[in-house]
Amino acid sequence: MPFDYDGGEGIDFESFDAFLSAEDPTDWLRAWTDNAELTGNNFRVFGQNGSGGYLAAAAQACAAR
């Protein structure tokens, strides 16, 4: 899906066709924080900028009712 903001002079963003798996954000969260216990299960990565930085939304787990 193309994302053109301000005629190409705005933000640099590329959306993915699907969310990344939890393994990918797990790897970068652990590297970034030096905490081997963190997981990417609560994040849904859906795009990146021109430098490869991810854009993610936090996912909230729903309790069974």
Side-chain angles (χ1 to χ4, degrees):
M1 168 174 127
F3 189 85
D4 182 18
Y5 179 78
D6 195 22
E9 299 298 320
I11 58 174
D12 181 8
F13 174 73
E14 174 189 348
S15 61
F16 299 145
D17 291 334
F19 291 116
L20 294 183
S21 69
E23 289 82 24
D24 203 26
T26 293
D27 290 343
W28 60 259
L29 275 171
R30 288 177 177 175
W32 184 46
T33 63
D34 197 29
N35 182 342
E37 295 180 17
L38 290 177
T39 69
N41 295 342
N42 291 330
F43 297 94
R44 300 298 178 260
V45 178
F46 60 92
Q48 68 182 14
N49 65 16
S51 68
Y54 289 144
L55 182 60
Q60 183 175 353
C62 296
R65 295 177 195 236

